Amino acid sequence: MIKRAKTFVNGIVQGVGFRPFIHKLITDYDIKGWVRNSSVGAEMELEGEEEDIRLFLHELKNNPPKLALITSIDVEYMTETAGYSDFKIIQSKTEKQTSTLVSPDVCICDECLAEMKMPGRRYRYPFINCTNCGPRFTIIKELPYDRAKTTMAPFKMCPECHREYTDINDRRYHAEPTGCNICGPKQFFCDCDGNELSGDPIELTKQYLRDGLIVAIKGLGGFHLAGRIDDPSIADTLRRRKHRDEKPFAIMCRDVETVKKLCMVSADEERILCSRQRPIVLLKKLRYDLLPSVSENGYIGVMLPYTPVHYMIFEDDIEALIMTSANISDLPIIYKNEEAINALSGIADGFLLSNRDIHMRCDDSVVYVYDSKVYPLRRSRGYSPYPILMKDALPALLACGAEQKASFCLSKGNFAIPSQHIGDLKNVETFENYKKSIAHFRGLYDIKPEKIACDLHPDFLSTAYADSLAKELDIPLIRVQHHHAHLASCMADNNLDEKVIGIIWDGTGYGTDGNIWGGEFLLGDFSGFERLAHLDYMKLPGGDLAVKDIRRMGISLLEKCGLDAEAVFKSPDTGLIREQLLKNINCPLSSGMGRLFDGISAILGIKEKADYEGQGAILLEAAATASERRLGYEISDSGAMILNMDKTIMSIYKEITEGSPDVGELCAAFLNTLVSAAADIAKRISDRYGIKKVVLSGGTFNNMYIMNRLPDRLESLGLTCYHHSRVSAGDEGLCLGQLMICSRS
Ligand code: ZN
Ligand code: ZN
Ligand code: FE
């Protein structure tokens, strides 16, 4: 008997070639009716034998289109049939109520790449895409996902493109951003003053790059600054112009073979480098001294081409380029043509522009490959705004994240939707972009938060924003302790919902006692936490000053142990800083692991002034040699356990002051000691409370030396260790934890 079924498909089904896929798939079944994008995902009416409908939906559920994420299919049988004579894609309904999800931008597919090299309307077309590839998140203004609601709206399809768009057998059937050289967006090349040059824009770009010049290239989620890597003076010039003194640049290589000439690449790393997300993967250099002007440490951030434009730039002699986000200092990535020409004059020598607008900024993602999986440091292009599917439905919430590595997270149904990388809110422009992005996400997903979560820190701009928004919307504001949020974030990342031990190590987080925390051992879940152990408090002479001038931390640590700081730090103001410590003038207390790293790094003579966040720790990790040596630590165990590292500091001091120390070995010994101490304390907590699951979160766990040792050590003690793989261990991942804690309060 013929039945008519109203079917709702939820998940990421828009902008991923879902309707054309359905249209093709249905020809294998005797089903008539229609499919359309709707505000709730995709909607279908299926008319046919019940068995056919069942088999069709089974196939759809098990083999959905490559980029789709189907979370549920709801079927409602109707009492009357409609007598459809065929199966059609019909016009989207536009409603205000939207709940569908947006696909991230993905790299160009093989078919488009091949077509771009063939004679025809898309020969060297710089924006070639199809239903399986191309921009999504960065061009969508509103849902449902239709061309009219993207930045492709001004480009009217030519008859041939339109024919493909409406031809069921074409790979561009309903590919919203489709176009060709006749009807699509155009590229153009400008000199440093913004004057358009005649000639092929790609060839001009290549010529500029060959000549050792720096070109600003418009990409998917913003501009890159590109320059050759084989001449160190180009990197130096770029650093000088960008005011980026020491922070490493990412590079883009033509292919994996080229990457292998510079870095070690495991099979897993190769797989993730080539994945359609195309993140920047931090890879170990073949030799530590390779490309020092690009990266001062043992790793280089490498990505492969992901847009048609990148592929054309690398098509002949150019093999590798610096590809760094085009911004000035820590401001948001530049994404508009005029902004680029104004803000980057004096930085870029030329501009490869286009008249296709970027609606949402989205930086490149940065990951390590750890445990065969992505270990995100920055979750952005390619991943964002992919949702994280939670076990239970969540109320509509907004979590406002931290400050320096800001991000936010919204929830809707079973989804937590973390934002892309936003950056440091202390920059006015970044803060504006943060607010704009929150508004965009709220509008896009039509989320009306019932509660807002923020950090406990009273001075975070995200806290102030959350506070004013909660007042404006007249809804509760939940202030979440920083390290509790890290713990919850790692729990959510691993689908845990039970009491766990959290080793939460980072630089700075506001504690419930008013001190700065960051070397924490917590026991907790989404509902609450106890602080069972922490790194002994250290004085931060000068407060924030000690975070940049990390020599101050070195002096503080030595002073704490009663050692002569002037024997290590010869600068004339060492005495003044000692006095400041002695008199306790502006010396807030911190248990931040990052501060301990800073101090040790300074004492070992690795770094005295941090040019970027975490530099001391990063260089300390880079300097560590393979050694099993361990130094001393003590745990005072009355009430909350206190981890005291004085013995380690004293040993290091002794070797530094008594002749020629093996700095690499001391770095390793320091890290080994921390691994031992962490495992020791976690085991004690486990024995006492009968909890065996341990989560690792906080920026310190971006240290691969520790990550390659601590989990094994914990496992050997009978504990189960969980780490991040979907959001960052650093503060960028914090919002997910805030959201989960907020959902339970
Ligand atoms: Zn394609
Ligand atoms: Zn066309
Ligand atoms: Fe943190």
Side-chain angles (χ1 to χ4, degrees):
M1 198 176 84
I2 299 291
K3 291 251 179 143
R4 178 179 170 205
K6 207 163 190 53
T7 309
F8 299 95
V9 185
N10 294 305
I12 296 188
V13 293
Q14 293 188 15
V16 294
F18 183 78
R19 291 169 302 168
F21 178 88
I22 292 288
H23 202 261
K24 258 183 230 175
L25 181 65
I26 212 128
T27 54
D28 295 343
Y29 305 84
D30 191 15
I31 299 174
K32 315 269 188 263
W34 51 260
V35 58
R36 70 179 169 200
N37 275 348
S38 83
S39 48
V40 292
E43 197 181 340
M44 297 184 280
E45 277 201 17
L46 308 171
E47 203 167 83
E49 291 292 338
E50 203 173 338
E51 181 62 5
D52 271 332
I53 295 175
R54 200 187 60 76
L55 286 172
F56 164 73
L57 292 176
H58 179 82
E59 176 62 21
L60 173 62
K61 203 170 170 187
N62 291 298
N63 295 301
K66 242 192 284 173
L67 303 185
L69 170 80
I70 295 177
T71 55
S72 68
I73 301 178
D74 301 323
V75 185
E76 233 175 79
Y77 281 97
M78 301 165 88
T79 46
E80 277 171 45
T81 54
Y84 293 119
S85 57
D86 56 1
F87 193 89
K88 278 193 194 127
I89 293 180
I90 64 170
Q91 190 80 47
S92 297
K93 254 203 292 187
T94 22
E95 284 172 25
K96 194 73 196 90
Q97 265 288 323
T98 54
S99 79
T100 190
L101 300 162
V102 177
S103 160
D105 296 8
V106 285
C107 74
I108 181 173
C109 73
D110 293 342
E111 282 169 293
C112 285
L113 198 53
E115 186 184 347
M116 188 178 83
K117 293 172 189 163
M118 288 183 322
R121 274 160 46 243
R122 294 198 182 86
Y123 178 64
R124 301 177 70 72
Y125 172 52
F127 304 96
I128 189 165
N129 66 78
C130 68
T131 53
N132 294 318
C133 75
R136 299 286 188 279
F137 173 60
T138 53
I139 61 164
I140 296 174
K141 294 178 172 177
E142 262 183 80
L143 290 177
Y145 176 58
D146 270 332
R147 189 183 184 94
K149 290 183 171 155
T150 70
T151 60
M152 282 298 291
F155 305 98
K156 194 178 176 305
M157 275 182 244
C158 69
E160 203 36 36
C161 280
H162 191 263
R163 190 194 59 73
E164 292 164 346
Y165 182 81
T166 48
D167 174 5
I168 180 177
N169 292 313
D170 197 278
R171 134 172 152 268
R172 296 202 173 81
Y173 188 46
H174 282 263
E176 305 302 343
T178 191
C180 71
N181 280 320
I182 299 159
C183 66
K186 303 262 182 297
Q187 274 192 318
F188 45 99
F189 190 91
C190 293
D191 66 11
C192 59
D193 301 316
N195 302 315
E196 191 176 336
L197 303 187
S198 61
D200 181 78
I202 296 279
E203 291 309 320
L204 285 163
T205 302
K206 286 194 265 193
Q207 199 47 54
Y208 265 60
L209 292 169
R210 279 188 204 108
D211 290 345
L213 300 171
I214 292 160
V215 183
I217 298 173
K218 193 174 189 177
L220 281 180
F223 280 76
H224 281 119
L225 288 165
R228 268 165 44 194
I229 64 165
D230 52 336
D231 176 354
S233 74
I234 296 168
D236 294 341
T237 303
L238 187 51
R239 273 183 204 290
R240 209 178 49 246
R241 293 183 186 174
K242 229 187 141 188
H243 305 293
R244 180 169 172 139
D245 293 338
E246 290 161 12
K247 200 170 176 181
F249 290 131
I251 64 170
M252 185 179 275
C253 291
R254 173 199 281 170
D255 47 30
V256 178
E257 286 61 49
T258 311
V259 182
K260 286 178 177 168
K261 289 183 204 161
L262 302 168
C263 301
M264 289 183 254
V265 186
S266 71
D268 285 324
E269 285 165 338
E270 180 165 344
R271 175 173 51 81
I272 288 165
L273 268 175
C274 299
S275 68
R276 62 171 191 258
Q277 289 88 356
R278 296 284 155 97
I280 294 171
V281 181
L282 291 170
L283 298 171
K284 255 215 165 94
K285 293 177 185 172
L286 287 182
R287 292 190 324 273
Y288 188 82
D289 57 358
L290 213 61
L291 296 175
S293 57
V294 171
S295 167
E296 60 172 354
N297 65 56
Y299 289 89
I300 305 184
V302 185
M303 61 185 149
L304 292 178
Y306 57 87
T307 69
V309 173
H310 298 152
Y311 276 97
M312 285 192 275
I313 290 171
F314 286 104
E315 70 198 336
D316 30 55
D317 55 320
I318 296 171
E319 286 196 323
L321 291 169
I322 293 168
M323 272 283 189
T324 183
S325 294
N327 55 6
I328 301 147
S329 303
D330 284 326
L331 298 184
I333 187 167
I334 288 166
Y335 73 123
K336 288 181 176 158
N337 290 350
E338 255 176 52
E339 188 194 6
I341 289 171
N342 292 332
L344 300 176
S345 79
I347 297 181
D349 300 303
F351 296 86
L352 180 58
L353 305 168
S354 79
N355 59 350
R356 184 174 79 189
D357 288 340
I358 296 168
H359 186 68
M360 255 292 111
R361 285 187 173 96
C362 199
D363 279 84
D364 294 315
S365 293
V366 183
V367 307
Y368 276 113
V369 176
Y370 176 76
D371 193 16
S372 301
K373 286 183 296 211
V374 159
Y375 190 78
L377 274 77
R378 178 201 280 176
R379 181 189 183 274
S380 209
R381 177 189 49 76
Y383 301 97
S384 183
Y386 206 72
I388 294 178
L389 185 59
M390 312 309 285
K391 248 190 344 240
D392 303 310
L394 299 164
L397 305 168
L398 165 65
C400 289
E403 181 172 83
Q404 202 181 18
K405 290 190 170 15
S407 67
F408 58 88
C409 188
L410 286 151
S411 55
K412 182 149 193 164
N414 286 52
F415 292 115
I417 309 165
S419 73
Q420 75 275 34
H421 161 84
I422 305 277
D424 188 348
L425 298 185
K426 280 199 282 294
N427 301 306
V428 180
E429 289 87 343
T430 309
F431 191 40
E432 287 307 314
N433 184 43
Y434 168 81
K435 291 188 275 190
K436 185 185 148 193
S437 302
I438 291 178
H440 179 61
F441 271 64
R442 280 177 62 197
L444 203 56
Y445 298 108
D446 192 31
I447 296 175
K448 293 183 182 66
E450 295 166 25
K451 284 184 275 186
I452 297 182
C454 68
D455 197 271
L456 198 61
H457 201 302
D459 301 331
F460 275 3
L461 285 163
S462 53
T463 304
Y465 171 78
D467 191 35
S468 70
L469 187 63
K471 283 194 181 113
E472 184 192 315
L473 301 175
D474 194 23
I475 53 174
L477 178 67
I478 313 296
R479 293 172 194 267
V480 182
Q481 199 282 323
H482 189 92
H483 303 93
H484 184 205
H486 273 306
L487 175 141
S489 169
C490 195
M491 281 175 61
D493 200 331
N494 289 284
N495 292 315
L496 293 173
D497 190 358
E498 63 198 280
K499 212 165 240 185
V500 298
I501 299 167
I503 306 181
I504 315 297
W505 287 358
D506 64 2
T508 300
Y510 195 79
T512 53
D513 60 357
N515 292 325
I516 303 162
W517 293 7
E520 309 306 310
F521 296 80
L522 309 180
L523 182 68
D525 55 20
F526 296 138
S527 306
F529 77 99
E530 281 175 88
R531 188 193 199 197
L532 296 182
H534 63 87
L535 182 64
D536 198 7
Y537 280 125
M538 303 161 281
K539 284 182 185 176
L540 262 58
D544 275 348
L545 211 56
V547 179
K548 295 219 162 69
D549 181 1
I550 61 177
R551 175 192 54 126
R552 284 171 173 266
M553 277 318 299
I555 297 169
S556 171
L557 293 181
L558 295 173
E559 199 61 32
K560 178 173 182 284
C561 300
L563 302 167
D564 178 14
E566 271 151 302
V568 178
F569 299 105
K570 313 281 187 201
S571 51
D573 62 344
T574 305
L576 283 173
I577 297 165
R578 286 184 66 185
E579 213 171 289
Q580 180 177 14
L581 286 159
L582 211 65
K583 293 183 180 159
N584 218 2
I585 304 163
N586 188 19
C587 290
L589 293 178
S590 169
S591 60
M593 196 51 77
R595 300 293 81 79
L596 178 67
F597 273 79
D598 284 349
I600 299 287
S601 188
I603 294 169
L604 285 169
I606 293 169
K607 197 70 200 168
E608 292 204 348
K609 288 228 177 2
D611 183 58
Y612 54 89
E613 201 231 335
Q615 189 182 19
I618 289 166
L619 295 180
L620 187 148
E621 178 189 351
T625 50
S627 163
E628 292 306 309
R629 193 175 163 201
R630 265 179 249 175
L631 305 169
Y633 65 88
E634 281 169 325
I635 298 166
S636 72
D637 203 349
S638 57
M641 285 182 264
I642 309 286
L643 169 60
N644 183 304
M645 296 291 289
D646 290 0
K647 282 190 167 170
T648 286
I649 297 162
M650 287 191 250
S651 304
I652 292 173
Y653 175 84
K654 191 160 176 283
E655 287 178 40
I656 291 282
T657 49
E658 281 179 3
S660 47
D662 184 339
V663 171
E665 191 195 61
L666 284 170
C667 289
F670 165 65
L671 295 168
N672 294 337
T673 312
L674 281 181
V675 167
S676 297
D680 185 347
I681 294 174
K683 178 73 173 134
R684 291 187 200 202
I685 295 173
S686 173
D687 289 346
R688 219 162 286 175
Y689 293 87
I691 305 276
K692 295 215 177 298
K693 294 184 177 173
V694 182
V695 298
L696 303 181
S697 193
T700 301
F701 293 110
N702 289 337
N703 183 310
M704 284 295 121
Y705 188 99
I706 293 179
M707 287 307 291
N708 288 330
R709 287 164 180 80
L710 181 56
D712 289 346
R713 187 71 60 81
L714 291 167
E715 300 276 344
S716 74
L717 294 171
L719 304 172
T720 314
C721 185
Y722 296 87
H723 58 79
H724 284 281
S725 65
R726 296 190 287 181
V727 296
S728 165
D731 282 2
E732 192 186 280
L734 203 72
C735 54
L736 178 62
Q738 290 177 341
L739 186 100
M740 292 310 295
I741 292 166
C742 182
S743 78
R744 299 291 166 89
S745 55

